[in-house]
Amino acid sequence: MRALRILLIVAVILGGIFVAVDRLAVNFAESEVAKRLQSQQGLAGGTDVSIKGFPFLTQVAAKHLDQVDVTVEGVEASAEGRKVRISEMTAELHDVRVRGSLGGFSDATAELATGKARISYEDLSKASESGFPVAYGGNGKVKVTGSVQLLGREITRSVLSSVTVVDGDTLRVRADEVPGEGLPGIEEKVREKTDFDRQISGLPGGLKLEKAEATKDGLEISVTGRNVGLAG
């Protein structure tokens, strides 16, 4: 019995040491991956990486990570030649295959990725061709306000617009209706300024836009993809 107790104590101690080493290793890896993302992407904001699953060391040996959660701030994408800043982007990467060592991986591929990106209304305004200010309009709509010249008069209108995703890479903003007050041609003039499509590029390969929702904090975009490539 005494020998059994000693074996159990030793097993508990070794198990504790393994857990401690495993947690130190995962913390180091998370920090290194975050630094690389920050440097390579030229991110203006913070980067947070959380590697899920236990034990971590066996995942490293297999070069297969169950799940990696990533949060990045200040991502710069491109919208038809115009830079558009993504305030924050969060992603859950599942079944990640890694080539090379984790601290210096050459590339990685996630079998499945889901996440959300948020674009502020100020940055959405800059992405529009007219530069008309875009704001939250309530009930999942955005409000676009601007002026047009018609028959020698400057006419200001605010319209509530819906934002949808087209073809997995394009944001489409369309006014639900334009108050015309019987003036001929006013709807066409206003829509020339308030309605626009913007194709978003610069996201990791395999990642697609899925849905857009206007909130008081900005435009939230759901993203998803399979076999999403991450450069090392």
Side-chain angles (χ1 to χ4, degrees):
M1 289 297 294
R2 184 171 181 273
L4 181 58
R5 284 197 298 270
I6 292 174
L7 286 174
L8 288 174
I9 292 171
V10 171
V12 170
I13 292 173
L14 291 177
I17 292 174
F18 176 78
V19 170
V21 170
D22 192 81
R23 294 302 88 190
L24 285 173
V26 74
N27 289 339
F28 174 78
E30 289 170 347
S31 176
E32 289 301 305
V33 172
K35 287 178 183 177
R36 293 198 66 188
L37 288 174
Q38 184 89 19
S39 173
Q40 292 171 0
Q41 300 298 321
L43 301 174
T47 304
D48 182 73
V49 176
S50 178
I51 300 173
K52 306 297 184 180
F54 180 83
F56 167 68
L57 293 174
T58 58
Q59 295 184 70
V60 172
K63 295 186 177 180
H64 174 266
L65 305 178
D66 296 336
Q67 179 179 334
V68 181
D69 294 348
V70 179
T71 300
V72 294
E73 299 175 346
V75 179
E76 279 198 350
S78 177
E80 297 184 4
R82 292 178 173 83
K83 286 186 177 180
V84 56
R85 183 177 182 274
I86 299 175
S87 306
E88 182 180 83
M89 184 171 181
T90 61
E92 289 186 1
L93 311 175
H94 299 269
D95 293 327
V96 181
R97 298 286 179 179
V98 180
R99 290 186 180 180
S101 64
L102 193 59
F105 63 94
S106 57
D107 64 74
T109 302
E111 175 70 22
L112 173 66
T114 60
K116 287 187 178 296
R118 187 176 74 249
I119 301 176
S120 72
Y121 292 120
E122 179 182 359
D123 289 317
L124 187 61
S125 300
K126 293 176 182 177
S128 72
E129 186 172 354
S130 66
F132 278 11
V134 180
Y136 181 54
N139 296 321
K141 306 287 185 180
V142 298
K143 181 173 72 173
V144 185
T145 303
S147 300
V148 296
Q149 292 289 333
L150 186 66
L151 302 176
R153 296 170 54 191
E154 183 176 81
I155 300 173
T156 300
R157 288 290 182 272
S158 291
V159 297
L160 291 178
S161 301
S162 299
V163 185
T164 56
V165 170
V166 181
D167 297 331
D169 64 355
T170 300
L171 293 176
R172 172 166 291 173
V173 179
R174 290 289 184 274
D176 294 349
E177 60 179 334
V178 177
E181 298 177 357
L183 295 174
I186 187 172
E187 179 170 355
E188 291 78 4
K189 286 285 186 181
V190 171
R191 286 191 179 276
E192 285 177 5
K193 300 294 184 179
T194 61
D195 292 359
F196 60 91
D197 289 358
R198 284 293 172 266
Q199 187 179 47
I200 305 296
S201 59
L203 298 178
L207 202 60
K208 295 183 178 181
L209 311 184
E210 187 175 57
K211 183 178 69 173
E213 180 181 6
T215 73
K216 64 179 182 180
D217 296 321
L219 186 66
E220 286 196 356
I221 305 166
S222 299
V223 296
T224 186
R226 289 193 173 275
N227 297 318
V228 176
L230 305 171

